[in-house]
Amino acid sequence: MNTCPQVRIETASGLMAIMLARPEKKNALTTSMYQALVQALEQASTDPSIRVVLLDGEGGDFCAGNDIADFAAQARSRQALESYDVFRFVRALAVFDKPLVAAVRGRAVGIGTTLLLHCDLVYVAHDARFSTPFVDLALVPEAASSLLLPARIGHVRAFALFALGETLDGAAALACGLANAALPADQVTPRARAAAQVLAAKPALALQATKKLMRDHERMLTVIESEGREFAQRLLSTEAQAMFQAFMSRRGP
Ligand code: COA
């Protein structure tokens, strides 16, 4: 049972809708939110009545990435990589076997963008903003995005997102293959839900087999592992600590 109030889960008519519900922090993801997300994906995978999962964000922004205070705390506690809930989540995403549909308005930062590389249909607002400023935080890409993003949009555009901290808007995301459609903000969730309902009515096993054929799970898990080792090292670096402190002190304790 989901006990995390910042992740809302509704299941009806073959569809599990997962709503990130921490709008006051732009839906930045905490340890307990990752735990709830992993649990939801596991439930969706094993429950035959769930055909499709929809990911959405409450408020004006999809997700501002990993909670930076959590990053700082994890670095202080020097946890082993295996115990990071963010890595459990990205592994669960990489192997998730049913269609994932995303509805994105506003900001999608860091994992807010990289998780979309694991979604099968992505509907975005014209004014959505996608960014993966890992280098600016003295970190490295995660969620197999070092493999998937260049493969999707080309090396130079991916590098500009990772290393220059460039941002894409909805139209640019559509043009470079990150999204199926760019829409007025109020049409994004209805369109994503409608697409999810269409998928929910398709032959389920053929749908799953099609997704499986399109994604190389083993390769993604290998990349996630190497990214994770590097990420855990970067997290401990003095340059990363300085970036986290800078973010947190700009915004008070
Ligand atoms: N971790 C923790 N808190 C976050 C956060 C994050 N990743 N992103 C936003 N917040 C918090 C802010 O600290 C602020 O909290 P406060 O109201 O208690 O001060 C609140 O969410 C609103 O954010 P704010 O920065 O005031 O909104 P904005 O519209 O000016 O900017 C962002 C939005 C997303 C551009 C900006 O918050 C940001 O850059 N966040 C960090 C994104 C990031 O680097 N994520 C990690 C990627 S690996």
Side-chain angles (χ1 to χ4, degrees):
M1 199 187 69
N2 174 33
T3 54
C4 176
Q6 292 152 340
V7 173
R8 284 199 291 107
I9 296 166
E10 287 162 20
T11 304
S13 315
L15 174 64
M16 173 187 274
I18 302 179
M19 180 71 81
L20 305 178
R22 196 187 178 209
E24 71 286 3
K25 298 285 184 187
K26 313 262 169 197
N27 295 327
L29 295 171
T30 59
T31 294
S32 57
M33 291 168 79
Y34 286 125
Q35 288 167 359
L37 290 168
V38 170
Q39 201 180 36
L41 291 179
E42 283 170 356
Q43 185 198 335
S45 179
T46 51
D47 182 343
S49 74
I50 298 172
R51 303 290 197 92
V52 184
V53 171
L54 172 72
L55 286 170
D56 203 340
E58 206 175 278
D61 293 281
F62 180 63
C63 174
N66 199 103
D67 187 283
I68 291 183
D70 270 15
F71 268 160
Q74 280 158 349
R76 279 195 302 275
S77 70
R78 295 183 169 256
Q79 281 173 248
L81 177 62
E82 290 306 311
S83 63
Y84 280 70
D85 290 297
V86 58
F87 288 109
R88 290 184 52 228
F89 173 57
V90 299
R91 284 191 204 100
L93 263 184
V95 300
F96 187 63
D97 54 356
K98 294 181 181 174
L100 268 173
V101 181
V104 182
R105 288 170 301 279
R107 291 278 182 173
V109 188
I111 197 162
T113 286
T114 60
L115 73 78
L116 299 173
L117 299 166
H118 298 274
C119 293
D120 303 293
L121 295 174
V122 178
Y123 297 93
V124 306
H126 293 303
D127 60 1
R129 292 284 177 279
F130 302 86
S131 58
T132 53
F134 295 112
V135 172
D136 286 339
L137 281 170
L139 297 172
V140 293
E142 33 65 325
S145 62
S146 59
L147 171 75
L148 300 176
L149 194 61
R152 184 79 63 88
I153 72 174
H155 177 88
V156 293
R157 278 194 289 209
F159 197 80
L161 282 167
F162 288 143
L164 291 178
E166 280 186 1
T167 296
L168 301 175
D169 63 13
L174 175 63
C176 67
L178 283 172
N180 293 84
L183 305 158
D186 63 349
Q187 291 177 24
V188 172
T189 295
R191 180 74 176 273
R193 276 190 172 266
Q197 291 297 355
V198 171
L199 289 179
K202 299 278 182 191
L205 298 180
L207 201 51
Q208 283 185 43
T210 299
K211 173 163 176 158
K212 191 170 179 197
L213 287 166
M214 291 171 73
R215 290 169 56 81
D216 186 344
H217 290 171
E218 286 197 9
R219 176 102 174 91
M220 284 188 283
L221 289 174
T222 304
V223 174
I224 285 169
E225 209 58 38
S226 346
E227 289 173 343
R229 277 196 298 277
E230 189 61 45
F231 199 97
Q233 286 297 317
R234 297 297 103 228
L235 207 55
L236 298 178
S237 70
T238 48
E239 56 182 14
Q241 312 274 340
M243 301 316 282
F244 303 154
Q245 285 311 322
F247 177 80
M248 291 186 299
S249 60
R250 264 204 316 275
R251 290 161 173 80

